Coordinates of all heavy atoms in Angstrom, one line a residue:
S131 N -9.8 4.1 -10.1 CA -9.5 3.5 -11.4 C -8.3 2.6 -11.4 O -8.0 1.8 -12.2 CB -9.2 4.6 -12.4 OG -8.1 5.5 -11.8
L132 N -7.5 2.6 -10.4 CA -6.3 1.8 -10.2 C -6.8 0.6 -9.3 O -6.3 -0.5 -9.6 CB -5.1 2.5 -9.5 CG -3.9 1.6 -9.4 CD1 -3.3 1.3 -10.6 CD2 -3.0 2.2 -8.3
L133 N -7.5 0.9 -8.3 CA -8.0 -0.2 -7.4 C -8.7 -1.3 -8.1 O -8.7 -2.4 -7.7 CB -8.6 0.5 -6.1 CG -9.0 -0.6 -5.1 CD1 -7.9 -1.4 -4.5 CD2 -9.7 0.2 -4.0
R134 N -9.7 -0.8 -8.9 CA -10.7 -1.8 -9.5 C -10.0 -2.9 -10.3 O -10.3 -4.0 -10.0 CB -11.5 -0.9 -10.4 CG -12.8 -1.8 -10.8 CD -13.7 -0.9 -11.7 NE -14.2 0.2 -11.0 CZ -13.9 1.5 -11.1 NH1 -13.0 1.8 -12.1 NH2 -14.4 2.4 -10.4
P135 N -9.0 -2.5 -11.2 CA -8.3 -3.7 -11.8 C -7.6 -4.7 -10.8 O -7.6 -6.0 -11.1 CB -7.3 -3.1 -12.7 CG -7.9 -1.6 -13.0 CD -8.6 -1.3 -11.7
L136 N -7.0 -4.1 -9.9 CA -6.3 -4.9 -8.9 C -7.2 -5.9 -8.1 O -6.9 -7.1 -7.9 CB -5.6 -4.1 -7.8 CG -4.5 -3.3 -8.4 CD1 -3.9 -2.2 -7.4 CD2 -3.2 -4.2 -8.8
L137 N -8.3 -5.4 -7.8 CA -9.4 -6.2 -7.1 C -9.8 -7.3 -8.1 O -10.2 -8.4 -7.7 CB -10.4 -5.3 -6.7 CG -10.3 -4.3 -5.4 CD1 -11.5 -3.5 -5.1 CD2 -9.9 -5.1 -4.2
Q138 N -10.1 -7.0 -9.3 CA -10.5 -7.9 -10.3 C -9.6 -8.9 -10.7 O -10.0 -10.2 -11.1 CB -11.2 -7.2 -11.5 CG -12.3 -6.4 -11.1 CD -12.8 -5.4 -12.3 OE1 -11.9 -5.1 -13.2 NE2 -14.1 -5.1 -12.3
L139 N -8.3 -8.6 -10.7 CA -7.3 -9.5 -11.4 C -6.3 -10.2 -10.4 O -5.7 -11.1 -10.8 CB -6.5 -8.6 -12.4 CG -7.4 -8.2 -13.6 CD1 -6.5 -7.4 -14.6 CD2 -8.1 -9.3 -14.2
V140 N -6.0 -9.5 -9.2 CA -5.0 -10.1 -8.4 C -5.7 -10.8 -7.2 O -6.7 -10.3 -6.6 CB -4.2 -8.9 -7.8 CG1 -3.1 -9.4 -6.8 CG2 -3.5 -8.2 -9.0
K141 N -5.1 -11.9 -6.9 CA -5.9 -12.7 -5.9 C -5.6 -12.2 -4.5 O -4.6 -11.5 -4.2 CB -5.2 -14.1 -5.8 CG -5.5 -14.9 -7.1 CD -5.0 -16.3 -7.0 CE -5.2 -17.2 -8.2 NZ -4.8 -18.5 -8.2
R142 N -6.5 -12.5 -3.5 CA -6.3 -11.9 -2.1 C -5.6 -13.1 -1.3 O -5.8 -14.3 -1.6 CB -7.9 -11.7 -1.6 CG -8.5 -10.6 -2.1 CD -9.7 -10.3 -1.3 NE -10.6 -9.4 -2.0 CZ -11.7 -8.9 -1.4 NH1 -12.1 -9.3 -0.3 NH2 -12.5 -8.1 -2.2
F143 N -5.2 -12.7 -0.1 CA -4.6 -13.6 0.8 C -5.8 -14.4 1.6 O -6.8 -13.6 1.8 CB -3.6 -12.9 1.9 CG -2.3 -12.5 1.3 CD1 -1.9 -11.3 1.4 CD2 -1.4 -13.6 0.9 CE1 -0.5 -11.0 0.9 CE2 -0.2 -13.3 0.5 CZ 0.3 -12.1 0.4
P144 N -5.6 -15.4 2.0 CA -6.7 -16.1 2.7 C -7.0 -15.3 4.0 O -8.2 -15.5 4.5 CB -6.1 -17.6 3.1 CG -5.1 -17.7 2.1 CD -4.5 -16.4 1.7
H145 N -6.2 -14.8 4.6 CA -6.4 -14.2 5.9 C -7.0 -12.8 5.7 O -7.5 -12.1 6.8 CB -5.2 -13.9 6.8 CG -4.1 -13.0 6.1 ND1 -3.0 -13.3 5.6 CD2 -4.1 -11.6 6.0 CE1 -2.3 -12.3 4.9 NE2 -3.0 -11.3 5.3
A146 N -7.3 -12.4 4.5 CA -7.8 -11.0 4.3 C -9.2 -11.1 3.9 O -9.6 -11.2 2.7 CB -6.9 -10.2 3.2
S147 N -10.0 -10.7 4.7 CA -11.5 -10.6 4.4 C -11.9 -9.3 3.7 O -12.9 -9.3 3.1 CB -12.4 -10.8 5.7 OG -12.2 -9.6 6.5
V148 N -10.9 -8.4 3.8 CA -11.2 -7.2 3.0 C -9.9 -6.6 2.6 O -8.9 -6.7 3.1 CB -12.0 -6.1 3.8 CG1 -11.0 -5.7 5.1 CG2 -12.5 -4.8 3.2
V149 N -9.9 -6.0 1.3 CA -8.6 -5.2 0.9 C -8.8 -3.9 1.4 O -9.9 -3.2 1.5 CB -8.7 -5.1 -0.7 CG1 -7.6 -4.2 -1.2 CG2 -8.6 -6.6 -1.2
T150 N -7.6 -3.5 1.9 CA -7.6 -2.1 2.7 C -6.3 -1.4 2.4 O -5.7 -1.7 1.4 CB -7.7 -2.4 4.2 OG1 -7.7 -1.2 4.9 CG2 -6.5 -3.2 4.7
S151 N -6.1 -0.4 3.2 CA -4.8 0.5 2.8 C -4.2 1.0 4.0 O -5.0 1.1 5.1 CB -5.2 1.6 1.7 OG -6.0 2.6 2.5
A152 N -3.0 1.4 3.9 CA -2.3 1.9 5.1 C -1.5 3.1 4.6 O -0.7 2.9 3.4 CB -1.5 1.0 5.9
M153 N -1.2 4.1 5.5 CA -0.3 5.2 5.1 C 0.8 5.1 6.3 O 0.6 4.9 7.4 CB -1.0 6.6 5.3 CG -2.1 6.9 4.4 SD -1.4 7.2 2.7 CE -0.5 8.8 2.9
I154 N 2.1 5.3 5.8 CA 3.2 5.4 6.7 C 3.4 6.9 7.0 O 3.7 7.6 6.0 CB 4.4 4.7 6.2 CG1 4.1 3.2 6.0 CG2 5.5 4.8 7.2 CD1 5.2 2.3 5.6
V155 N 3.3 7.3 8.3 CA 3.6 8.8 8.7 C 4.9 8.8 9.3 O 5.2 8.2 10.3 CB 2.5 9.2 9.6 CG1 2.7 10.6 10.1 CG2 1.0 9.1 8.8
A156 N 5.8 9.7 8.7 CA 7.0 10.0 9.5 C 7.2 11.4 10.0 O 7.0 12.4 9.3 CB 8.3 9.7 8.5
L157 N 7.3 11.5 11.4 CA 7.4 12.9 12.0 C 8.8 13.2 12.4 O 9.7 12.3 12.7 CB 6.4 12.7 13.3 CG 5.1 12.3 13.2 CD1 4.6 11.9 14.5 CD2 4.3 13.6 12.6
E158 N 9.1 14.5 12.1 CA 10.4 14.9 12.5 C 10.5 15.2 14.0 O 9.7 15.7 14.6 CB 10.7 16.3 11.7 CG 10.9 16.2 10.3 CD 12.1 15.5 9.8 OE1 13.1 15.5 10.6 OE2 12.1 14.8 8.8
K159 N 11.6 14.6 14.7 CA 11.9 14.9 16.0 C 10.7 14.5 16.9 O 10.4 15.4 17.7 CB 12.4 16.3 16.2 CG 13.6 16.7 15.5 CD 13.9 18.2 15.8 CE 15.2 18.6 14.9 NZ 15.6 19.9 15.1
S160 N 10.2 13.3 16.7 CA 9.0 13.0 17.5 C 9.4 11.6 18.4 O 10.2 10.9 17.9 CB 7.8 12.7 16.7 OG 6.7 12.1 17.5
T161 N 8.8 11.6 19.5 CA 9.1 10.4 20.3 C 7.8 9.4 20.2 O 7.8 8.3 20.6 CB 9.0 10.8 21.9 OG1 7.8 11.4 22.2 CG2 10.2 11.5 22.0
H162 N 6.8 9.7 19.3 CA 5.8 9.0 19.1 C 6.2 7.8 18.1 O 7.0 7.9 17.2 CB 4.5 9.7 18.4 CG 4.0 10.7 19.3 ND1 3.7 10.5 20.7 CD2 3.9 12.0 19.2 CE1 3.2 11.7 21.3 NE2 3.3 12.6 20.4
G163 N 5.4 6.6 18.3 CA 5.6 5.6 17.4 C 6.9 4.9 17.6 O 7.5 4.9 18.6
D164 N 7.6 4.5 16.4 CA 8.9 4.1 16.6 C 9.9 5.1 15.8 O 9.9 5.4 14.6 CB 9.1 2.7 15.7 CG 8.6 1.6 16.4 OD1 8.0 1.8 17.5 OD2 9.0 0.4 16.1

Side-chain angles (χ1 to χ4, degrees):
S131 59
L132 180 74
L133 182 59
R134 192 175 301 109
L136 292 169
L137 291 175
Q138 291 172 340
L139 300 179
V140 180
K141 293 182 180 180
R142 293 188 190 184
F143 281 123
H145 65 257
S147 63
V148 64
V149 172
T150 183
S151 70
M153 296 288 289
I154 300 180
V155 175
L157 301 162
E158 292 289 337
K159 299 178 181 179
S160 174
T161 58
H162 298 307
D164 278 17

